Amino acid sequence: MKENEKRALELKIKLDDIFKQYDERTKYILSHPELIDKVNYRKRSENSLVEKNGIKKPICKDGILLRGKCEYKGDHWTRNSNGHEIVDYLNSLFRVLVVTKDSNEDVGEKEDTTNRGVEWDIKTETLRSNKSEEICINNSFAKNYISIICIFMMYQSHSENEILEVLADIDKCWSIWNNAPIARINLKKQPGNGSINDSRLSSYISLYGEILQKQIELINPTVIINSAGKPGMNFFKKIYKDLECIDKNYGNGRDKWIYIDKIKKLVIIDIYHFSYRGWGLNDQSLFKELIHRLIYTSMDINKLLM
């Protein structure tokens, strides 16, 4: 067995063990009502969101995305492994981890999603519509998600106009995302409704934070794209003590998007949530802003990662 294949197998075993730890933690939480109360909307509510956002089991699996054949299961798309995703990820110059705050599964109020693998395992995501057999990337979350991945993958070797041309062609964007060795982690750790407020997300992070940190350290990204807002950045600032903002002097200095940890050799890009409609404005101003900030900080990023 080659050395990189051996490393990949060892990592897979460790990552599988992480989900056993998540399940044990969930059992513990379920046996302690005072912990559950932190993340439920309110007790004895008829609101279906209580079920959707409450602690339940099994845990939402995530990590290095599978890149094998896509399959339609009659009511949802899913994806198989090609057998070498972890090797490709470990060999990648940019080990990109995308951090989101929910699985953003679009389901009806009464719909039973217990056996829906697409919701329970983010690694199988295809970014296709779950409602039909059509390849469909027409919702804002999917478009913005893959567009931002494309920007990061292209900004060093393409001009701004070339990148914007690709962003205008969603099929080209999907092709780049579809082959990129990336990981995605859901900080909420529980599947369900496609939105969650910051205080509740922070509660989930506090319940699962220690195992989350272990999972991220195992995946060992060189780039984290944070779409989980302030709770996500607060969590990363606890893990990475030496983070410093490198675009604080960009423009008017009104926003801070790009952070580095020179010790860990890590870049964190703190952006708006992928569902934010501002990404989809016709003038592409937010996409341009991200491109400009990456170019502005490229010397620091290259020095760190190259």
Side-chain angles (χ1 to χ4, degrees), residues 42-43 58 146 150 187 227 235 281:
R42 52 186 175 271
K43 295 179 183 177
I146 64 177
C150 286
L187 287 188
S227 179
F235 178 60
L281 296 174

Side-chain angles (χ1 to χ4, degrees), residues 47-65:
N47 188 339
S48 62
L49 292 179
V50 172
E51 278 188 26
K52 288 183 177 180
N53 277 302
I55 291 288
K56 48 187 173 180
K57 197 174 172 286
I59 201 75
C60 182
K61 291 189 176 180
D62 47 27
I64 297 170
L65 300 187

Side-chain angles (χ1 to χ4, degrees), residues 27-40:
K27 287 177 186 175
Y28 177 82
I29 294 168
L30 287 170
S31 66
H32 291 74
E34 72 278 9
L35 295 177
I36 300 174
D37 288 345
K38 288 183 179 181
V39 293
N40 278 341

Side-chain angles (χ1 to χ4, degrees), residues 15-265:
L15 289 173
D16 287 344
D17 184 64
I18 283 289
F19 289 104
K20 292 177 185 175
Q21 295 179 41
Y22 276 129
D23 283 339
E24 288 301 315
R25 178 63 177 160
T26 302
K27 287 177 186 175
Y28 177 82
I29 294 168
L30 287 170
S31 66
H32 291 74
E34 72 278 9
L35 295 177
I36 300 174
D37 288 345
K38 288 183 179 181
V39 293
N40 278 341
Y41 274 74
R42 52 186 175 271
K43 295 179 183 177
R44 296 178 183 176
S45 171
E46 297 299 320
N47 188 339
S48 62
L49 292 179
V50 172
E51 278 188 26
K52 288 183 177 180
N53 277 302
I55 291 288
K56 48 187 173 180
K57 197 174 172 286
I59 201 75
C60 182
K61 291 189 176 180
D62 47 27
I64 297 170
L65 300 187
L66 303 183
R67 290 308 195 206
K69 183 181 177 182
C70 298
E71 280 190 281
Y72 191 65
K73 294 289 188 179
D75 65 348
H76 70 274
W77 283 94
T78 188
R79 192 157 203 175
N80 300 306
S81 171
N82 64 18
H84 48 82
E85 289 92 353
I86 296 179
V87 172
D88 290 345
Y89 186 83
L90 290 174
N91 289 340
S92 176
L93 176 62
F94 300 129
R95 296 189 298 277
V96 178
L97 168 62
V98 179
V99 174
T100 50
K101 61 182 183 178
D102 210 342
S103 52
N104 288 275
E105 175 69 353
D106 183 16
V107 296
E109 272 189 25
K110 305 294 184 182
E111 192 172 348
D112 179 10
T113 61
T114 304
N115 297 313
R116 290 277 289 275
V118 68
E119 182 180 20
W120 299 103
D121 193 343
I122 290 176
K123 299 189 300 295
T124 68
E125 70 181 0
T126 64
L127 296 188
R128 302 183 186 197
S129 171
N130 286 331
K131 305 300 181 185
S132 72
E133 295 190 25
E134 295 177 3
I135 297 175
C136 182
I137 325 167
N138 59 2
N139 64 75
S140 59
F141 179 92
K143 278 186 176 179
N144 298 332
Y145 172 20
I146 64 177
S147 295
I148 289 162
I149 292 293
C150 286
I151 289 173
F152 186 81
M153 294 294 183
M154 296 177 66
Y155 85 95
Q156 290 185 317
S157 55
H158 295 74
S159 69
E160 177 183 347
N161 287 337
E162 288 172 332
I163 296 172
L164 292 174
E165 281 180 23
V166 171
L167 296 187
D169 187 333
I170 200 63
D171 290 328
K172 286 183 180 178
C173 282
W174 187 84
S175 179
I176 291 172
W177 171 86
N178 190 45
N179 292 289
I182 59 177
R184 179 178 160 199
I185 285 181
N186 175 26
L187 287 188
K188 180 171 176 266
K189 299 322 300 178
Q190 293 281 339
N193 193 41
S195 63
I196 186 172
N197 65 39
D198 283 356
S199 63
R200 189 159 299 106
L201 176 60
S202 296
S203 296
Y204 274 102
I205 292 172
S206 69
L207 291 175
Y208 290 105
E210 187 177 331
I211 312 173
L212 265 170
Q213 182 173 345
K214 287 181 187 176
Q215 184 185 15
I216 292 170
E217 287 173 349
L218 282 173
I219 289 175
N220 190 25
T222 53
V223 179
I224 295 175
I225 297 176
N226 175 51
S227 179
K230 195 174 291 184
M233 278 309 298
N234 289 341
F235 178 60
F236 292 126
K237 286 175 181 177
K238 286 181 182 177
I239 299 177
Y240 305 110
K241 306 293 186 184
D242 298 300
L243 278 181
E244 59 176 294
C245 179
I246 58 172
D247 65 338
K248 60 187 176 184
N249 297 320
Y250 175 82
N252 297 322
R254 64 191 182 282
D255 286 328
K256 298 176 181 179
W257 288 27
I258 303 177
Y259 297 76
I260 62 172
D261 184 326
K262 293 178 182 176
I263 307 299
K264 298 287 187 181
K265 295 189 178 297

